[in-house]
Amino acid sequence: MDFMIRAATPEDCKDISRMIMELAVYENMPDQVKISHEVLEQDGFCKNPFFHCLVAEVAEQYRTTEGYTVIGYALFFYTYSTWKGRSVYMEDLYVMPEFRGEFPGKGVGTALMSKVAQVCKEQQCVRLQFSVLNWNTPSLDFYKAKGAQDLTDSEGWHVLRFDGEALDKLAQMAPKN
Amino acid sequence: MANFILRKAEPRDVPDILRLIKELAKFEEMEEQVVLTETELLQDGFGEQPFYHCIMAEVPEDRRSSDGHTVVGFAMYYFTYDPWIGKMLYLEDFYVMKEYRGMAVHTQYIHSTAVKSRCSGMHFIVAEWNKPSIDFYKRRGASDLSHEEGWRLFEIDKEYLLKMSAK
């Protein structure tokens, strides 16, 4: 099957938005998607973009029944380690189910991730980090086969978050200077 | 006079930032893991596209430390992205020198970064053995997403990145 990996353009945001929703459905959290493709366009293509995106596109003859040729994406951004410097965090990696691997390690997912790894190299980043849900066995297997280490397991790291009311409360207590 | 002020980091703060990073790493018994240099910190924090932002805590001259420092703490953060809710703020590190703790500097950092960002949320990671920190955050309303939703943090290091990018 012919496909290519390329940097996303603002015009791709409708497809990226569609696939974000598909991934949310897979993770059993579809009602949590609050932003539109317009917000993605704004945030991903401004002067200091808040994220970067690669898309996977198939040749015309492989388009889906609904007519899509953009069939996968990887969304990532730069982070910083106080010990080692520049890093990349891959927020999402998704390939539409009908385009996933007959040949593990040679398909669209691997190609997307390899391109992200290339970006890491070009930007002198020391590591690539991402999170996976503990029940997502296909993904856990996919990443472990590529040499990923589970840091929650080996080092005990937990992901914490402040949002909504808790974040507002916090902000209200900020010093005035 | 206030006990301390919080202000945005400037290029001249880079030596203090690195000093405090190393102090925190020493506390975590990982000092030799800090390979970052002042040159990198300067490039990465104060170039055209900053990779991080920093808030410094500074005390007045008459409260300088025994080895002469007035910059006594820092908080480092950057912006991340949640495809479901948009812009987020990620608090990477914060630290206050031991002798200046208890003035609520830690609390002020969090408040300060939360208010300046206008983001939908603030994310960070904490080691599960670090009970004082976990309690500190939970008391202020943070949720433990590893616990509640099953998220596990993964990493691919340089060796495997090179292998993958060679394909």
Side-chain angles (χ1 to χ4, degrees):
Chain A
M1 182 189 63
D2 268 325
F3 67 90
M4 67 172 223
I5 309 296
R6 57 171 178 78
T9 63
E11 293 70 38
D12 289 318
C13 288
K14 287 200 179 85
D15 278 302
I16 297 168
S17 201
R18 166 182 59 84
M19 290 187 285
I20 285 171
M21 184 55 93
E22 284 176 29
L23 181 52
V25 168
Y26 173 73
E27 289 172 350
N28 300 319
M29 304 200 226
D31 44 313
Q32 302 230 25
V33 181
K34 309 289 183 203
I35 60 171
S36 64
H37 69 89
E38 285 100 343
V39 173
L40 287 177
E41 275 170 41
Q42 231 169 273
D43 295 342
F45 299 92
C46 52
K47 182 169 177 253
N48 281 325
F50 288 86
F51 68 87
H52 303 273
C53 202
L54 298 171
V55 294
E57 189 161 31
V58 293
E60 276 294 329
Q61 67 258 46
Y62 298 109
R63 56 173 42 217
T64 69
T65 42
E66 302 99 328
Y68 304 125
T69 53
V70 173
I71 52 86
Y73 75 100
L75 191 149
F76 62 95
F77 41 79
Y78 295 102
T79 63
Y80 208 73
S81 154
T82 45
W83 295 354
K84 301 177 185 178
R86 298 181 190 184
S87 304
V88 167
Y89 188 88
M90 188 172 70
E91 175 64 35
D92 272 2
L93 176 66
Y94 176 76
V95 178
M96 290 172 71
E98 55 264 55
F99 295 95
R100 290 179 201 165
E102 284 166 51
F103 305 108
K106 293 185 184 168
V108 182
T110 298
L112 277 166
M113 209 166 167
S114 301
K115 272 285 177 163
V116 177
Q118 231 171 47
V119 169
C120 284
K121 229 182 96 183
E122 284 161 17
Q123 299 298 324
Q124 292 145 32
C125 297
V126 299
R127 67 190 183 194
L128 170 64
Q129 288 188 322
F130 48 95
S131 301
V132 186
L133 286 161
N134 58 8
W135 52 257
N136 191 350
T137 315
S139 293
L140 289 166
D141 291 343
F142 173 85
Y143 293 122
K144 282 181 172 174
K146 289 172 168 43
Q149 308 154 54
D150 181 344
L151 298 185
T152 299
D153 204 36
S154 58
E155 297 180 10
W157 290 102
H158 280 224
V159 180
L160 270 69
R161 174 161 72 197
F162 277 105
D163 60 10
E165 208 184 295
L167 184 63
D168 286 340
K169 267 197 187 142
L170 207 52
Q172 271 158 41
M173 290 147 84
K176 307 300 176 203
N177 74 286
Chain B
M1 186 188 269
N3 283 332
F4 65 93
I5 60 152
L6 295 185
R7 59 170 177 77
K8 225 168 123 174
E10 290 161 34
R12 65 185 171 93
D13 290 314
V14 161
D16 278 310
I17 296 172
L18 189 56
R19 168 181 61 86
L20 294 166
I21 285 172
K22 286 183 169 167
E23 258 180 57
L24 175 53
K26 194 168 180 185
F27 167 70
E28 292 171 343
E29 289 170 12
M30 305 266 209
E31 200 182 358
E32 71 291 347
Q33 300 244 18
V34 180
V35 297
L36 201 52
T37 63
E38 280 182 20
T39 308
E40 283 163 339
L41 271 172
L42 191 61
Q43 232 168 264
D44 297 340
F46 300 94
E48 216 186 270
Q49 205 189 12
F51 284 80
Y52 70 86
H53 304 274
C54 223
I55 295 179
M56 314 306 299
E58 190 159 29
V59 295
E61 276 290 335
D62 59 344
R63 302 198 71 220
R64 52 174 44 220
S65 69
S66 46
D67 39 0
H69 301 293
T70 54
V71 173
V72 301
F74 79 105
M76 181 186 278
Y77 66 94
Y78 41 80
F79 296 100
T80 65
Y81 207 76
D82 183 319
W84 297 353
I85 56 181
K87 289 176 280 194
M88 302 278 281
L89 183 142
Y90 189 90
L91 183 62
E92 172 61 34
D93 253 4
F94 72 87
Y95 175 73
V96 177
M97 288 168 68
K98 201 162 179 200
E99 53 265 54
Y100 297 93
R101 291 181 202 163
M103 294 193 294
V105 181
H106 273 85
T107 309
Q108 306 282 34
Y109 278 146
I110 300 210
H111 299 160
S112 187
T113 51
V115 79
K116 283 172 161 74
S117 64
R118 278 192 231 125
C119 293
S120 309
M122 185 160 82
H123 265 174
F124 44 97
I125 57 174
V126 187
E128 67 191 358
W129 52 257
N130 191 348
K131 206 164 177 309
S133 291
I134 295 185
D135 290 343
F136 173 86
Y137 294 123
K138 281 189 162 171
R139 270 200 303 274
R140 280 155 189 79
S143 337
D144 181 343
L145 300 184
S146 290
H147 191 63
E148 290 172 26
E149 297 178 10
W151 290 101
R152 309 189 70 75
L153 179 67
F154 275 76
E155 176 177 289
I156 296 190
D157 68 20
K158 209 164 183 182
E159 188 197 325
Y160 285 99
L161 282 180
L162 289 172
K163 278 194 187 146
M164 281 177 59
S165 64
K167 289 204 175 116

